[in-house]
Amino acid sequence: ITLNIRDFCADLMDELQLIDNAQHQFVLSDRLTQSHEVFLDERLLRIILSNLLSNAIKYSKEGKEIELEISRDEQGICFQVKDGGIGIPEADRKHLFQMFHRAQNVGEISGTGLGLAIVKRAVDLHKGEISLESQEGVGTIFRVRLPLNEQ
Ligand code: ATP
Ligand code: MG
């Protein structure tokens, strides 16, 4: 089954924006040029993006921008989720994808520490890659690349 990636991302951003109750600014940056119909599992993609986006929302103050950028390269389709939130301390980064790990700077923000472990499984099932860039007090970018199986 093919998935229209552009529509899927727009719908997901709309849904999250509704739930967020206008506390953040949602920006969808679409850098796709050609076909947006891709062979990807919709449920897995939803797991990946909704977890990353809900973290971006949860770990940034109201009024901040939440950006989802979609692009393509030779290796596949790339998703970038960027926030202007609390950031992730260096020491926590290598443990982030382990179950129940929460960074030392979460303070009062609640969570179970499962979201990113689930994201990692979903990315691995897609034979994709995930990486992050972060600066404490400035924000975080998660990047996911999923290989595409064009038929
Ligand atoms: P939940 O299981 O409800 O998602 P959680 O958000 O605490 O709980 P994860 O989504 O697995 O768990 O994230 C693990 C930890 O990584 C978080 O507790 C937080 O410390 C850190 N983290 C993840 N995303 C961000 C982000 N965008 N900005 C700052 N810290 C983040
Ligand atoms: Mg989470």
Side-chain angles (χ1 to χ4, degrees):
I1 307 164
T2 63
L3 179 67
N4 184 307
I5 205 80
R6 178 174 273 168
D7 291 350
F8 177 84
C9 289
D11 290 349
L12 183 61
M13 290 291 270
D14 283 348
E15 273 172 40
L16 291 170
Q17 188 160 24
L18 271 177
I19 297 167
D20 187 53
N21 209 6
Q23 294 193 74
H24 297 86
Q25 275 176 265
F26 287 72
V27 177
L28 176 58
S29 303
D30 189 340
R31 312 244 182 281
L32 295 174
T33 47
Q34 354 121 12
S35 165
H36 318 114
E37 302 287 335
V38 295
F39 287 91
L40 277 183
D41 185 283
E42 178 174 342
R43 289 160 308 170
L44 282 179
L45 187 59
R46 180 177 294 277
I47 287 168
I48 294 168
L49 294 181
S50 62
N51 272 296
L52 295 178
L53 287 164
S54 58
N55 281 344
I57 294 165
K58 182 159 75 162
Y59 297 108
S60 58
K61 291 216 174 77
E62 56 184 82
K64 295 285 185 185
E65 192 173 284
I66 310 289
E67 186 191 20
L68 171 61
E69 186 189 288
I70 336 163
S71 59
R72 284 285 295 264
D73 67 11
E74 314 76 55
Q75 285 117 292
I77 188 145
C78 308
F79 301 91
Q80 178 174 295
V81 176
K82 184 177 173 185
D83 67 55
I86 63 174
I88 300 168
E90 182 88 58
D92 290 293
R93 290 184 207 161
K94 57 179 177 292
H95 308 291
L96 274 196
F97 299 105
Q98 292 167 15
M99 283 199 278
F100 310 118
H101 187 86
R102 305 200 68 221
Q104 62 197 32
N105 64 335
V106 292
E108 307 273 272
I109 307 171
S110 65
T112 58
L114 281 171
L116 286 179
I118 294 167
V119 168
K120 181 77 169 83
R121 294 279 183 94
V123 170
D124 288 348
L125 280 171
H126 261 118
K127 303 203 190 315
E129 300 163 307
I130 183 163
S131 62
L132 73 128
E133 207 180 295
S134 187
Q135 203 181 331
E136 266 194 90
V138 177
T140 303
I141 302 174
F142 277 90
R143 293 193 181 87
V144 172
R145 185 196 279 119
L146 301 176
L148 287 179
N149 195 3
E150 322 233 22
Q151 336 234 308

